[in-house]
C-alpha cells in the first residue's frame, strides 16, 4: 500500500508567513489611511473643502464681443475653464506624460508605487494626476525633511482617493490644469495659453499643448522665455510619450518634434494690454460697488480673489482701432511739437508765455504731488533731503515715442524727468452708441504705464467751440429758429449788467474780421462765427443754455454768464460724448454705460444695469441740430474729412495724419479750439456712433504757437478720422454709413440748398477752410 507523502514543513511555513505579512501589510495600509484621515499626520481637508477647494480666482473683464480685456488679481491670475474647453490633444499629452494608467486607478497607481519603491524612483515617480492635484490644493511643496515628506505622501494618497470619489476623471484633469502655476502670472491653463501663445486653450496646436504639459514638471526650470532649448527638448519628450501610447503616429511625432518653438508672449499685467485706462476706471468703479454690495453672509466681495465676471460694453475691435488711431496720430503730432519747441526756438520749453517764477511754481507743485515725495515723506525724510533727491541723477526708464516699446533707459534727475514728461501732448477719446449709451471705446491717454491720469473722465478742459451747439439748441428749441435763418456777422456787444455780466461783453471772431453779411445759422456754426453765437445767447439767456446743457448730462458748474457761449467752462470727454449723444438719439439723453452685468464664479447675476434716460429735446430740434453740425464737415472747419485740398500744404504733410480721408457718408460734428491753442477738440457723429476726442498739454501753457497747428481740426480730428476709417473697414462692426433719421413730420426747415451754394462759392478754398476753426 503506497504511503502518503507528507507536505514539506518549510513550504507550509512560507505560505503561512506570506499571508501574515500580506495581511499585516493590508492592515498597516488601512491603519495608515485611518490615522491620516483622523488627522494624526496633520490637518486633513473636510468634505466641504473637498467639495469646494479654495483657489484664488481673478476677476475677468469681458468685452461686448466676448473677448477678455484683462483681469484683476493679486497673486493668482487664474480663470478656470471646464473640461469641454480643453482640446483633446492636451488631455492626451497630460495623461501619456504624467499618468499613463490614469483611467484605470482610483487615485493611487499600485504598479507605479511599487516600481518607485523597488527602484527608489530611478525609473519614474508614482504620483498620479489626482495626487499632484491633492498636493497643489491641500498639501503644499514637498518637505526636505524625510519624515515630513513621508507624512505628506500619505496625506496625498488619502486626499487623492477622496478626490476620485468626489469628482469625475474629467473634472480632476480640469482642476489640475486650472490650478497649476505656469510662471509669469500664468496661473492655470487659460492664462498660460493666453500669455505664451495669445489664444484660448481650445485653439492650442498639438505642439503648443505639449509644451505647456512639459512645463508641469517644473515651470521655473522649464521656462520657455529663459530656457527655450531646454523647454523644446521637454516638449519633444511629451510628444514622444504621446506616440508611445498611441495618441500620435511616429510620422506625426517626428514632424512635430522638428518644429521650432513659436511663442507669442503676451504678459498680462494691470499696466499693459488693451483698454488699460478703461480697466483702471473699472477697478475704481468695482471697489465702490463691493463697498455697497455685500455677500449673503455680510462679507465683502473681493475683486481680486472671488472670480467675478464683469461684462462691459467695450468692443475689443473698436477699442483696438481707437488705440491705434491715437498712437498713429499722437506720435506724428508730438514730433512736430518737438520741432517747434527746441531750446533754441523756445528757451522755456515746453512752456510758452510764462515767466521763470511761474515755471518754478509748476515744477514745485508737480514735485510735491509725485510718488517719490510722498514715499520719502512717509519714511520720515526731511524736506531738504527730499528736495536734494530730486536733483540727484539716477538711472530710469522713460517714455519715448521713437524707441522700441516706447521706452528708453536714460540718466537724469527726477526734477528733469518731471519737465521731460510735461513736453508730451496728452489725449482722450471715447466712443459711444447713442441709442443705448454703450461705450464702445475708451482711451484715456497715450500710454498708461507712464501717463496714468485718465483724461476721459478724470480731467476736464475748456470745451471751446464744441460748446456752441448747446447755445444753438437753446435758440432753436425756444425761438424756433431754423438752420437756414440768418443773422448779421458784425461786431456785437452785450451791454453791462445784462445776464449777470458786470461789464460789456464784445467777443471777436477768431480772425478778428467781420464780414457784415447775413449768415445762416448753419454757416455760422460750421465756421464758428463768434458774433452770431453771442447774438443767440443774448436772445435766449445764459441760464437757458446752462439748463439745456445740464439736462444733456454736463454736471460740472456752468456759470450763467454770456462768455459760456464760446466754451469757457471745463468739461471732460466722458460727459461731452454723452451730451452729443442726445442730438444723435433724437433728443433723448442716455447716460453713458460701461458695465452691463456682473456674475459671481458660479454664474449668479450680482448686478445688471438699468438705463438712465431723459427726454431733453424734441425730435425736430435734435434733427435740426444734427443738420447744423453736418455743415461743419460739408464746408466748415471739419471739411477735410470729406474733401481733398492741396496735400503739399505743410500742415497736411506734417500733422494731419492719414489725410486725405475721403469719408463720403453723412457726418455731423464740431471742432473746438481754446485760447492760445491749449486745447483741441473734435466731436463727430454718425447715426449709431458718437465719438469725442481731446488733445492738449498737461499744462495749458504747453501748446502750439499758432492756430494752423493747434486747432482742433489738426490736433484732434485726425484721430477721429483714422478711427472711423478702421471701423468702416470692418463691416461686422455695423457702424452706420446711412443718413440720420428724419422725423416723419419735420416742422423746422433744414433745406438751405440755395443759400449753401452761395456760401460754398465764397469759402471753397484751402486757405479759408484752414482758418475757420475756433
Amino acid at each position: 500500500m503506497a504511503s502518503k507523502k507528507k507536505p514539506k514543513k518549510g513550504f507550509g511555513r512560507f505560505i503561512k508567513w506570506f499571508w501574515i505579512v500580506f495581511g499585516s501589510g493590508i492592515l498597516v495600509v488601512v491603519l495608515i489611511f485611518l490615522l491620516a484621515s483622523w488627522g494624526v499626520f496633520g490637518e486633513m481637508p473636510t468634505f466641504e473643502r473637498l467639495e469646494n477647494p479654495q483657489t484664488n480666482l481673478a476677476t475677468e473683464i469681458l468685452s461686448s464681443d466676448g473677448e477678455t480685456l484683462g483681469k484683476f488679481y493679486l497673486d493668482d491670475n487664474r480663470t478656470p475653464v471646464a473640461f469641454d474647453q480643453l482640446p483633446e490633444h492636451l488631455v492626451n499629452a497630460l495623461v501619456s506624460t504624467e499618468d499613463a494608467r490614469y483611467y484605470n486607478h482610483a487615485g493611487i497607481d499600485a504598479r507605479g508605487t511599487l516600481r518607485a519603491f523597488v527602484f527608489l524612483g530611478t525609473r519614474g515617480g508614482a504620483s498620479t494626476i489626482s495626487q499632484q492635484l491633492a498636493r497643489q490644493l491641500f498639501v503644499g511643496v514637498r518637505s526636505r525633511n524625510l519624515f515630513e515628506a513621508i507624512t505628506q505622501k500619505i496625506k496625498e494618497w488619502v486626499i487623492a482617493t477622496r478626490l476620485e470619489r468626489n469628482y469625475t476623471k474629467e473634472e480632476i484633469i480640469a482642476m489640475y490644469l486650472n490650478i497649476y502655476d505656469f510662471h509669469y502670472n500664468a496661473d492655470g491653463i487659460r492664462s498660460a495659453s493666453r500669455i505664451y501663445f495669445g489664444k484660448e486653450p481650445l485653439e492650442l496646436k498639438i505642439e503648443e499643448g505639449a509644451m505647456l504639459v512639459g512645463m508641469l514638471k517644473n515651470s521655473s526650470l522649464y521656462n520657455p522665455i529663459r530656457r527655450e532649448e531646454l523647454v523644446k527638448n521637454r516638449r519633444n519628450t511629451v510628444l514622444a510619450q504621446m506616440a508611445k501610447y498611441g495618441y500620435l503616429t511616429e510620422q506625426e511625432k517626428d514632424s512635430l518634434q522638428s518644429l521650432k518653438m513659436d511663442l507669442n508672449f503676451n504678459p498680462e499685467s494691470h499696466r499693459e494690454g488693451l483698454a488699460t485706462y478703461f480697466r483702471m476706471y473699472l477697478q475704481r468703479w468695482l471697489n465702490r460697488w463691493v463697498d455697497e454690495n455685500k455677500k449673503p453672509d455680510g462679507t465683502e466681495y473681493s475683486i481680486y480673489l472671488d472670480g467675478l465676471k464683469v461684462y462691459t460694453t467695450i468692443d475689443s475691435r473698436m477699442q483696438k482701432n481707437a488705440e491705434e488711431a491715437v498712437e498713429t496720430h499722437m506720435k506724428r503730432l508730438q514730433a512736430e511739437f518737438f520741432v517747434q519747441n527746441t531750446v533754441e526756438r523756445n528757451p522755456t520749453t515746453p512752456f510758452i508765455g510764462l515767466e521763470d517764477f511761474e515755471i518754478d511754481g509748476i515744477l514745485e507743485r508737480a514735485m510735491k504731488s509725485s510718488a517719490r515725495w510722498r514715499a520719502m515723506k512717509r519714511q520720515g525724510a526731511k524736506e531738504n533731503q527730499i528736495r536734494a533727491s530730486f536733483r540727484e541723477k539716477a538711472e530710469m526708464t522713460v517714455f519715448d515715442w521713437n524707441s522700441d516699446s516706447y521706452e528708453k533707459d536714460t540718466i537724469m534727475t527726477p526734477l528733469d524727468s518731471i519737465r521731460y514728461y510735461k513736453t508730451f501732448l496728452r489725449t482722450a477719446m471715447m466712443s459711444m452708441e447713442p441709442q443705448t449709451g454703450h461705450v464702445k471705446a475708451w482711451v484715456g491717454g497715450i500710454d498708461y504705464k507712464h501717463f496714468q491720469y485718465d483724461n476721459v473722465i478724470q480731467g476736464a478742459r475748456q470745451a471751446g467751440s464744441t460748446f456752441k451747439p448747446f447755445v444753438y439748441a437753446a435758440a432753436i428749441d425756444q425761438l424756433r429758429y431754423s438752420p437756414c435763418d440768418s443773422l448779421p456777422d458784425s461786431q456785437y456787444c452785450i451791454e453791462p449788467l445784462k445776464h449777470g455780466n458786470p461789464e460789456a461783453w464784445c467777443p471777436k471772431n477768431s480772425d478778428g474780421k467781420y464780414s457784415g453779411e447775413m449768415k445762416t445759422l448753419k454757416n455760422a456754426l460750421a465756421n464758428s462765427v463768434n458774433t452770431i453765437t453771442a447774438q443767440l445767447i443774448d436772445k435766449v439767456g445764459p441760464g437757458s443754455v446752462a439748463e439745456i446743457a445740464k439736462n444733456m448730462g454736463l454736471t460740472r458748474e456752468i456759470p450763467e454768464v454770456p462768455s459760456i457761449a464760446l466754451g469757457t467752462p471745463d468739461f471732460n470727454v466722458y460727459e461731452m460724448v454723452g451730451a452729443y449723444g442726445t442730438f444723435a438719439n433724437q433728443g433723448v439723453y442716455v447716460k453713458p454705460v460701461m458695465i452691463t452685468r456682473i456674475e459671481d464664479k458660479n454664474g449668479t447675476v450680482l448686478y445688471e444695469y438699468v438705463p438712465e434716460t431723459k427726454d431733453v429735446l424734441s425730435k425736430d430740434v435734435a434733427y435740426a441740430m444734427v443738420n447744423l453740425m453736418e455743415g461743419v464737415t460739408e464746408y466748415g472747419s471739419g471739411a477735410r474729412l470729406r474733401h481733398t485740398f492741396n496735400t503739399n500744404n505743410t500742415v497736411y504733410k506734417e500733422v494731419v495724419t492719414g489725410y486725405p480721408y475721403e469719408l463720403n457718408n453723412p457726418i455731423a460734428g464740431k471742432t473746438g479750439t481754446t485760447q492760445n491753442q491749449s486745447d483741441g477738440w473734435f466731436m463727430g457723429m454718425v447715426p449709431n456712433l458718437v465719438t469725442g476726442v481731446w488733445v492738449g498739454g498737461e499744462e495749458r501753457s504747453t501748446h502750439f504757437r499758432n492756430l494752423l497747428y493747434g486747432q482742433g481740426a489738426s490736433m484732434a480730428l485726425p484721430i477721429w478720422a483714422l478711427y472711423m476709417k478702421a471701423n468702416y473697414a470692418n463691416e461686422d462692426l455695423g457702424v452706420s454709413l446711412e443718413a440720420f433719421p428724419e422725423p416723419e413730420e419735420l416742422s423746422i426747415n433744414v433745406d438751405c440748398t440755395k443759400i449753401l451754394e452761395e456760401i460754398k462759392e465764397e469759402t471753397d478754398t484751402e486757405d479759408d477752410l484752414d482758418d475757420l476753426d475756433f
Side-chain angles (χ1 to χ4, degrees):
M1 187 173 172
S3 60
K4 291 182 179 180
K5 289 184 178 181
K6 295 182 179 180
K8 295 180 180 179
K9 291 184 178 181
F11 181 74
R13 189 178 295 113
F14 172 78
I15 295 297
K16 177 181 177 182
W17 279 106
F18 170 81
W19 286 110
I20 290 172
V21 170
F22 182 78
S24 298
I26 296 296
L27 289 173
V28 167
V29 171
V30 171
L31 181 61
I32 287 173
F33 269 70
L34 284 172
L35 291 173
S37 64
W38 293 337
V40 172
F41 303 122
E43 183 182 1
M44 296 289 285
T46 63
F47 175 79
E48 288 75 17
R49 285 189 65 198
L50 285 173
E51 284 290 309
N52 299 283
Q54 294 298 309
T55 55
N56 295 335
L57 303 179
T59 287
E60 186 176 13
I61 307 161
L62 295 164
S63 68
S64 62
D65 56 318
E67 296 295 320
T68 297
L69 293 175
K71 301 175 188 177
F72 296 133
Y73 57 90
L74 292 178
D75 298 317
D76 297 340
N77 176 21
R78 180 177 293 106
T79 304
V81 295
F83 183 81
D84 59 9
Q85 294 175 283
L86 300 173
E88 185 179 5
H89 64 76
L90 180 70
V91 176
N92 294 339
L94 174 64
V95 171
S96 59
T97 306
E98 297 292 329
D99 191 355
R101 288 177 290 278
Y102 175 67
Y103 293 105
N104 300 319
H105 63 67
I108 300 173
D109 182 3
R111 283 176 58 186
T113 301
L114 183 61
R115 181 191 64 221
F117 179 76
V118 172
F119 295 102
L120 301 178
T122 59
R123 296 192 180 179
S127 287
T128 63
I129 292 173
S130 304
Q131 289 173 42
Q132 293 180 50
L133 176 60
R135 182 164 66 247
Q136 292 279 342
L137 285 175
F138 303 110
V139 179
V141 179
R142 178 76 73 237
S143 173
R144 294 187 177 182
N145 180 285
L146 181 60
F147 176 75
E148 290 180 356
I150 292 172
T151 58
Q152 284 181 323
K153 192 65 180 177
I154 293 170
K155 289 172 68 175
E156 283 178 23
W157 287 342
V158 176
I159 296 170
T161 58
R162 288 185 173 184
L163 288 172
E164 291 272 354
R165 289 200 300 269
N166 284 25
Y167 297 97
T168 66
K169 291 286 187 180
E170 290 76 16
E171 288 172 332
I172 289 172
I173 284 177
M175 290 170 69
Y176 177 55
L177 290 173
N178 283 325
I179 198 69
Y180 193 80
D181 179 359
F182 289 87
H183 220 47
Y184 296 108
N185 289 328
D187 298 299
I189 190 65
R190 183 160 186 248
S191 292
S193 301
R194 289 171 56 84
I195 288 173
Y196 289 113
F197 298 108
K199 57 182 66 173
E200 295 296 323
L202 271 175
E203 300 169 329
L204 289 171
K205 298 177 183 177
I206 295 175
E207 67 274 17
E208 293 169 344
M211 189 205 86
L212 294 177
V213 168
M215 292 177 69
L216 294 171
K217 187 172 184 179
N218 184 335
S219 61
S220 294
L221 176 63
Y222 295 101
N223 180 335
I225 305 304
R226 300 182 63 183
R227 302 183 183 92
E228 184 172 331
E229 193 61 31
L230 180 67
V231 176
K232 181 182 177 182
N233 292 336
R234 176 64 183 161
R235 178 203 70 179
N236 289 347
T237 298
V238 174
L239 293 170
Q241 288 293 105
M242 294 178 72
K244 176 182 177 181
Y245 290 102
Y247 297 117
L248 294 175
T249 66
E250 284 296 316
Q251 185 177 0
E252 288 172 332
K253 180 203 74 172
D254 293 340
S255 176
L256 291 170
Q257 286 182 334
S258 67
L259 296 175
K260 294 180 180 179
M261 296 277 283
D262 188 19
L263 296 175
N264 179 17
F265 189 53
N266 296 280
E268 291 184 352
S269 75
H270 301 311
R271 295 188 174 192
E272 297 172 314
L274 198 64
T276 45
Y277 287 95
F278 173 75
R279 285 190 275 131
M280 291 304 101
Y281 161 79
L282 182 59
Q283 185 180 48
R284 296 191 297 272
W285 188 93
L286 285 172
N287 282 330
R288 292 193 299 270
W289 183 83
V290 297
D291 283 342
E292 299 167 2
N293 298 270
K294 309 295 183 186
K295 293 180 181 179
D297 63 4
T299 60
E300 281 193 2
Y301 289 100
S302 169
I303 67 170
Y304 306 106
L305 305 175
D306 285 341
L308 303 177
K309 285 189 181 294
V310 182
Y311 295 86
T312 74
T313 60
I314 298 292
D315 187 297
S316 68
R317 300 160 297 180
M318 297 173 77
Q319 179 68 30
K320 184 179 179 182
N321 291 343
E323 292 185 10
E324 288 179 351
V326 165
E327 177 184 346
T328 302
H329 177 62
M330 292 304 293
K331 183 176 181 179
R332 191 172 179 183
L333 187 68
Q334 188 68 50
E336 178 59 30
F337 185 80
F338 281 147
V339 168
Q340 296 186 24
N341 282 274
T342 59
V343 175
E344 292 76 21
R345 291 188 175 188
N346 179 16
T348 61
T349 186
F351 312 110
I352 294 178
L354 296 187
E355 301 292 337
D356 287 344
F357 76 91
E358 294 175 301
I359 295 173
D360 290 342
I362 289 174
L363 298 178
E364 174 80 4
R365 289 191 297 274
M367 187 166 58
K368 287 189 172 181
S369 62
S370 69
R372 170 185 286 267
W373 185 285
R374 292 194 301 270
M376 293 186 71
K377 200 76 173 173
R378 284 195 300 269
Q379 294 166 6
K382 296 180 180 178
E383 185 167 318
N384 62 331
Q385 294 175 314
I386 301 175
R387 290 183 180 278
S389 75
F390 275 85
R391 299 184 183 278
E392 296 174 0
K393 288 190 175 183
E395 294 182 356
M396 60 180 71
T397 301
V398 298
F399 180 79
D400 179 45
W401 276 120
N402 297 316
S403 299
D404 292 340
S405 301
Y406 298 138
E407 286 185 328
K408 70 175 180 181
D409 294 328
T410 188
I411 297 176
M412 65 172 70
T413 69
L415 189 59
D416 286 340
S417 74
I418 290 174
R419 190 164 188 152
Y420 172 76
Y421 274 102
K422 287 188 181 293
T423 64
F424 287 94
L425 297 173
R426 315 299 170 87
T427 189
M429 176 185 183
M430 192 180 101
S431 193
M432 183 191 81
E433 187 178 72
Q435 291 76 20
T436 62
H438 287 191
V439 174
K440 295 299 181 182
W442 175 305
V443 185
I446 56 175
D447 183 276
Y448 181 79
K449 188 174 182 180
H450 292 275
F451 304 92
Q452 294 177 19
Y453 191 76
D454 187 347
N455 292 289
V456 167
I457 199 163
Q458 290 179 311
R461 297 294 285 260
Q462 285 188 337
S465 292
T466 57
F467 189 80
K468 288 179 180 176
F470 305 113
V471 180
Y472 280 70
I476 293 174
D477 184 48
Q478 295 179 24
L479 306 177
R480 307 308 291 174
Y481 274 147
S482 155
C484 306
D485 287 335
S486 300
L487 291 172
D489 174 21
S490 56
Q491 177 77 65
Y492 189 86
C493 290
I494 297 178
E495 60 266 28
L497 305 180
K498 188 176 183 182
H499 304 310
N501 220 38
E503 299 177 354
W505 185 61
C506 308
K508 298 179 180 179
N509 286 334
S510 60
D511 58 2
K513 300 175 183 178
Y514 312 95
S515 68
E517 300 172 355
M518 299 295 288
K519 289 187 178 290
T520 63
L521 297 191
K522 190 166 187 175
N523 180 33
L525 183 66
N527 298 314
S528 279
V529 182
N530 292 339
T531 57
I532 290 180
T533 309
Q535 293 173 61
L536 292 177
I537 199 167
D538 187 23
K539 293 177 185 296
V540 298
S544 297
V545 174
E547 182 182 5
I548 208 166
K550 288 176 181 176
N551 286 335
M552 293 170 71
L554 300 183
T555 62
R556 292 176 179 268
E557 181 182 0
I558 304 176
E560 294 185 8
V561 294
S563 61
I564 64 172
L566 304 187
T568 53
D570 291 354
F571 303 106
N572 58 37
V573 172
Y574 169 83
E575 289 191 343
M576 287 292 285
V577 171
Y580 269 66
T582 308
F583 298 130
N585 192 34
Q586 299 185 314
V588 180
Y589 168 74
V590 182
K591 185 176 180 179
V593 60
M594 287 71 72
I595 301 97
T596 57
R597 190 169 80 255
I598 300 174
E599 295 178 357
D600 68 12
K601 64 182 180 182
N602 299 315
T604 302
V605 177
L606 306 176
Y607 166 84
E608 208 155 16
Y609 92 105
V610 177
E612 295 182 41
T613 65
K614 187 174 186 177
D615 290 342
V616 181
L617 304 171
S618 69
K619 289 183 179 181
D620 287 9
V621 172
Y623 183 76
M625 285 305 305
V626 166
N627 180 269
L628 275 171
M629 287 186 279
E630 284 182 306
V632 173
T633 65
E634 289 168 356
Y635 54 84
S637 55
R640 60 185 63 176
L641 285 172
R642 313 173 70 83
H643 305 296
T644 302
F645 305 113
N646 181 9
T647 53
N648 291 321
N649 179 290
T650 302
V651 178
Y652 292 131
K653 289 168 65 176
E654 293 175 352
V655 298
V656 185
T657 313
Y659 183 82
Y661 306 116
E662 298 177 337
L663 294 169
N664 299 316
N665 55 293
I667 299 169
K670 187 70 191 81
T671 56
T673 312
T674 61
Q675 191 172 14
N676 296 326
Q677 300 79 241
S678 293
D679 307 278
W681 290 80
F682 184 71
M683 306 295 300
M685 303 183 291
V686 295
N688 64 349
L689 196 65
V690 178
T691 304
V693 183
W694 167 86
V695 175
E698 181 183 15
E699 304 294 332
R700 294 183 191 270
S701 54
T702 301
H703 55 76
F704 283 101
R705 288 184 178 275
N706 59 60
L707 193 62
L708 207 58
Y709 289 94
Q711 63 177 292
S714 297
M715 291 211 295
L717 178 146
I719 293 176
W720 190 92
L722 293 171
Y723 168 67
M724 291 301 289
K725 288 193 75 172
N727 288 341
Y728 284 131
N730 184 350
E731 294 182 0
D732 292 340
L733 295 177
V735 178
S736 177
L737 288 165
E738 305 301 318
F740 289 87
E742 181 178 331
E744 290 184 4
E745 297 181 3
L746 182 62
S747 61
I748 300 173
N749 176 36
V750 295
D751 185 8
C752 315
T753 308
K754 292 182 179 180
I755 302 173
L756 293 182
E757 287 175 356
E758 296 173 6
I759 293 169
K760 284 184 179 181
E761 291 176 3
E762 296 173 6
T763 61
D764 196 17
T765 69
E766 174 193 339
D767 292 336
D768 289 337
L769 289 163
D770 273 339
D771 293 332
L772 288 173
D773 176 53
F774 185 75

